[in-house]
Amino acid sequence: MPIGNAEPSVRPVPAGRTDGAAAGSARRRRGARARPGRGGSRAERFAPYVLVAPAILIIVVLRLYPLLLGVNFSFTGDGERNGQAVGLDNYLELIEDPLFRTALSNVGLLVLLLPVAVAIPGLLATFIYLKVPGHRFYRSVYFFPAVLSPVIVGAIFNLLLAFDGPVNAVFEAVGISPVDWLGNPDVAMFVVVGVHVWATFGMALVVFLAGFATLDAALLDAARVDGASLPQVIRHVIIPGLSRTIAFVAVTTMVGMLTSMFGLLYVMTSGGPEGSTYLPEYYIWIQQGQMNRPALASAASTVLFVIMLVVGLLQVKLLRRAGGED
Amino acid sequence: MSRVRLSRWLLAIPMSLLALATIYPLLFTVNVAMKTRRDYILDRFSVTDTLRWDNISAAWNSVGMDRYFLNSLIVVTSSVVLLLLLGSMAGFALSQLRFRGSSALFLGCLAGLFVPFQVIMVPLARIMADTALIDTYPGLVLVFVAQFLPFTVFLMTSYYKTIPREVIDAARIDGNSVYGVYRRIMLPLGTPALLSVGILNALFCWNDVLMSLVMMPSADHRTLMVGVTSLRGQYSDDIPTFASGVLIAAIPVLVVYLFLQRQIADGVAAGSTKG
């Protein structure tokens, strides 16, 4: 990551700045601090801060400060106990709440399904990189659902997966009994995750293809000349060569599953049937907006934040190690 | 070698099936939107023989999709303009100017990347309510800008890093102030990145539902995506009108995708390789 800036600065050119304002501020400056070549008017010296200030201000006030506020808020009460310190009560209530437990076990399910969600775009990118006939066409078709809103995707799949909808009609035609895709608690979560993967694998595919562009083509050619099969090439050339990309896709896919499935849940299942498709983000929304329990929602938010930190750190660590061994 | 070639052709089979699975749901929806209710109930799959626009205009007029569309357009346009302006200003300063605290400020921007909206939803809604910004256009615009600014600053900073320092030095010698360099040099040179980041941000804002739902709750402030979610209840027995509403919300995105696919993919790729 390009953090910091070690290169020399653009220096204001004193010769070009002989106007009154510049001279005035130069006079005001304390002589000891004034280094040669570092001159320029006060306005010029403050310019970088002026340029960065609006962005920093917005990010700090509307992103970082609310994070602290929320954590703080999670230790206070709701309703009658509004504003009072209640210690860990909200967290204890979360543990007791079957809906939040379902949300957490669904997070566990997402972690288990993560390898699949990474492998699918990874394999497809491999095929496209190896120039399967029609690879350009596939590339643009696969990417296309990634630009659709989860709301649109959810609405479309509501039509397709309705009990009397077309998918079940096809099933009936081939003699399979219809499935209650969104009404069966054992099935619904898998369906929603499947739809999410359908809608987002194109994003990961593009990231993989960008990674492939950095892969040493000579290695691949050498492997092929040696008669390596496709699985061998994937295992010994592509996976080690792309470990950074794989780590990046794994983390972004996990973060995506934790933070961008709300639209699908909202449109497709509303957390049901029997609360089986709850995820933390949906729980937070329900508690905040529908149940009027903002402090409890804040506690759930804090838990979600911790989950995301842990998942991110773990994955980066694991994949870095895996990459290092090869 | 021929074995490899054969296996490539074999791969084309699952890949084209997947392509079909990717494209068919949308074609199905378009087809349904063109049908009458009766046709849909009688036969879900048959390709409609006439192109009927009745459902589309019904969805547009009766449910208020026109109003939602306008809301989305206002909010998304303002958000993207602000994002590009603030993002390029900060990106220019963080990449090309040296000043005390610049790396700390850059890290501060990046930290925003790791705070998803869900995590700060409650306090943010409270802040917006306290400042009377909830349920207003500026309120949602601010929330969008705060959401996507870290990513925008990050991409603009990495893009501006690739511009040689001599370009800026030369402009300074010509007597430009820092702001002059930003306006006359960095903005025009940044066009490709601004285009990519702008399209991505426009898509993100246009497609958002959670932020819009929390920040713009009242019925005539609904954005288009929130409007689509309200269609479900109203038109559960009139699938073609429902499908039409969905289509209205999807069409702008589809058009953008058809013409600007390259830039979208480049933006996504840039976000990953520069990370």
Side-chain angles (χ1 to χ4, degrees), chain B residues 18-81:
Chain B
L18 188 65
L20 190 69
T22 309
I23 210 81
Y24 180 74
L26 195 83
L27 293 180
F28 177 82
T29 311
V30 174
N31 192 36
V32 169
M34 297 294 155
K35 288 187 172 189
T36 62
R37 249 170 100 178
R38 192 167 163 276
D39 285 349
Y40 178 74
I41 291 164
L42 287 178
D43 186 352
R44 299 190 157 81
F45 298 101
S46 68
V47 177
T48 172
D49 45 357
T50 50
L51 289 179
R52 280 189 215 85
W53 300 98
D54 306 4
N55 299 321
I56 300 264
S57 61
W60 180 257
N61 295 319
S62 60
V63 208
M65 291 296 273
D66 49 349
R67 177 76 216 221
Y68 305 153
F69 199 97
L70 187 68
N71 288 340
S72 277
L73 208 59
I74 294 171
V75 173
V76 172
T77 315
S78 334
S79 303
V80 171
V81 169

Side-chain angles (χ1 to χ4, degrees), chain B residues 149-170:
Chain B
L149 197 54
F151 157 80
T152 309
V153 170
F154 175 59
L155 276 192
M156 288 317 295
T157 306
S158 8
Y159 184 80
Y160 278 146
K161 274 216 171 117
T162 63
I163 292 178
R165 205 159 283 276
E166 291 75 30
V167 174
I168 290 125
D169 285 342

Side-chain angles (χ1 to χ4, degrees), chain A residues 2 5 8-10 44 48-49 63 66 73 140 142 144-145 147 149 159 164 166 198 244 259 267 281 301 305, chain B residues 15 21-22 44-45 94-96 98 100 114-115 118 123 126 146-147 165 172 207 232 239 253 257 261 275:
Chain A
N5 195 342
S9 70
V10 190
E44 287 289 279
Y49 298 102
R63 218 111 265 272
F73 202 44
S140 54
Y142 291 162
F144 135 83
V147 300
S149 169
L159 291 181
D164 57 350
W198 176 87
R244 269 186 56 127
T259 60
V267 173
E281 56 171 334
S301 288
F305 187 61
Chain B
M15 288 192 78
T22 309
R44 299 190 157 81
F45 298 101
L94 292 170
S95 65
Q96 297 281 0
R98 193 170 64 176
R100 193 167 296 179
F114 301 101
V115 185
Q118 285 84 347
R126 182 152 290 199
Q147 171 80 14
R165 205 159 283 276
R172 295 304 305 254
N207 287 342
R232 188 165 70 125
I239 301 297
V253 174
Y257 182 69
Q261 201 192 121

Side-chain angles (χ1 to χ4, degrees), chain A residues 132-211:
Chain A
V132 165
H135 56 99
R136 284 213 183 80
F137 167 76
Y138 293 130
R139 186 191 164 128
S140 54
V141 170
Y142 291 162
F143 187 62
F144 135 83
V147 300
L148 289 178
S149 169
V151 168
I152 308 274
V153 171
I156 291 175
F157 276 90
N158 271 347
L159 291 181
L160 290 170
L161 298 171
F163 192 69
D164 57 350
V167 171
N168 276 339
V170 171
F171 269 43
E172 256 179 340
V174 263
I176 308 172
S177 58
V179 178
D180 194 358
W181 298 104
L182 299 173
N184 182 339
D186 298 328
V187 179
M189 192 63 206
F190 288 96
V191 173
V192 177
V193 176
V195 172
H196 177 75
V197 172
W198 176 87
T200 55
F201 80 94
M203 217 44 126
L205 181 84
V206 169
V207 176
F208 268 120
L209 286 172

Side-chain angles (χ1 to χ4, degrees), chain A residues 240 243 317-326:
Chain A
S243 58
K317 206 164 226 176
L318 278 177
L319 281 153
R320 195 166 281 165
R321 194 182 298 157
E325 272 171 14
D326 266 294

